Amino acid sequence: MNTFARSWQHAVVTGGAGFVGSHLCSALLAAGTAVTCVDDFSTGRRENVSPLLEHPEFTLLEADVSEPFEVGRPPDLVLHFASPASPADYLRLPLHTLDAGSLGTRHALELAHRAGARFLLASTSEVYGDPQQHPQNERYWGNVNPVGPRSVYDEAKRFAEALSTAQAETYGTDVGIVRLFNTYGPRMRGHDGRAVPTFVRQALAGEPLTVTGDGLQTRSLCYVDDTVRGILAAAAHGLRGPVNIGNPAETTMLELARLIIELAGSRSEIRYIERPTDDPAVRCPDITLARDKLQWEPRVPVEDGLRRTIEWFRADRAADTAPGT
């Protein structure tokens, strides 16, 4: 299926200055869609969207989606991506994270419903928690600690899924839900707490790569261009979902650290540190639904994606900015 099988006139992207959101804005503009980016810059970076500011079809609205907001013209697509999404951010901003998943989702849904627009929620593999099913398919309900340190993000997204589903059932709003797995690539922040940017930043600085626990826990890495294709395919298809968007190629954190050292040409060593509370032991998507319904699967091999990411980090030292600065 062509990702842009539906021709969108105007898309609203909440969290559009964030990592994935800014790539979505760029892809939509390239396809001829006018874009309104809504962001409060609590975790997004202005640098991510500054190249778009001169585009005649791009509008930047600085607003917190936890408060009611209005856009200049009715959209036919609303992509709700506003939320702290990295451990450093949601642990620093727990209430803001919960507000983005609850109030923010409600306001984005209301905007879509008023305009008769397609609504797509960015959910996450974190709704599966520390899974007891492997790989994880969309029918699995998850294993989440509702009061643990990660709960502010996990439960915000689980609530957002429930709210979006209730909105669709109650009012007929055209809702879709995508669960994103471990997206990586350019525009990540070096101190956001996720493995790829942390390891890349450390390797380029010649610092030890901090692997948590024994490093045998797994993740499944999906390059951002592939993730964006999957998101827009889900938007165009009309599938409610939820649908997993991720790479079923699984790697341990120790393997990932060693690969990044090699690709960066670094002399860094591995240093083992304490593993965070409720850190999932495994993470791997079953993408059968995405393959069957969306004709989507990732294309970018992990080594190629990591090379692109490393080169971007070499060129953009601002990515080394710590959270909240």
Side-chain angles (χ1 to χ4, degrees), residues 35-86:
V35 173
T36 297
C37 165
V38 184
D39 208 295
D40 67 355
F41 297 101
S42 57
T43 61
R45 298 175 65 212
R46 293 182 185 275
E47 294 88 344
N48 289 344
V49 293
S50 58
L52 307 179
L53 292 175
E54 295 184 4
H55 195 294
E57 296 296 329
F58 180 77
T59 302
L60 176 61
L61 173 63
E62 186 168 353
D64 180 354
V65 297
S66 299
E67 302 290 338
F69 66 95
E70 298 289 340
V71 296
R73 63 186 265 206
D76 52 359
L77 176 64
V78 176
L79 298 161
H80 182 42
F81 279 69
S83 174
S86 69

Side-chain angles (χ1 to χ4, degrees), residues 168-239:
E169 293 291 341
T170 303
Y171 296 115
T173 308
D174 184 9
V175 161
I177 300 168
V178 289
R179 291 175 176 166
L180 308 184
F181 279 70
N182 300 117
T183 302
Y184 72 100
R187 303 181 195 165
M188 298 189 90
R189 299 194 330 269
H191 285 88
D192 81 358
R194 288 178 276 200
V196 169
T198 299
F199 289 167
V200 171
R201 172 179 58 81
Q202 291 169 336
L204 292 179
E207 300 172 356
L209 272 64
T210 48
V211 173
T212 63
D214 58 11
L216 299 183
Q217 65 272 31
T218 69
R219 298 295 182 267
S220 301
L221 304 176
C222 191
Y223 189 65
V224 64
D225 290 359
D226 283 331
T227 296
V228 166
R229 279 194 307 106
I231 292 164
L232 295 177
H237 185 280
L239 177 71

Side-chain angles (χ1 to χ4, degrees), residues 137-183:
N137 64 40
E138 294 86 354
R139 295 181 299 279
Y140 178 53
W141 292 353
N143 177 39
V144 172
N145 178 357
V147 293
R150 302 170 69 100
S151 66
V152 294
Y153 184 60
D154 301 357
E155 298 292 13
K157 289 298 188 181
R158 287 161 68 94
F159 178 83
E161 288 195 15
L163 179 58
S164 299
T165 302
Q167 173 86 17
E169 293 291 341
T170 303
Y171 296 115
T173 308
D174 184 9
V175 161
I177 300 168
V178 289
R179 291 175 176 166
L180 308 184
F181 279 70
N182 300 117
T183 302

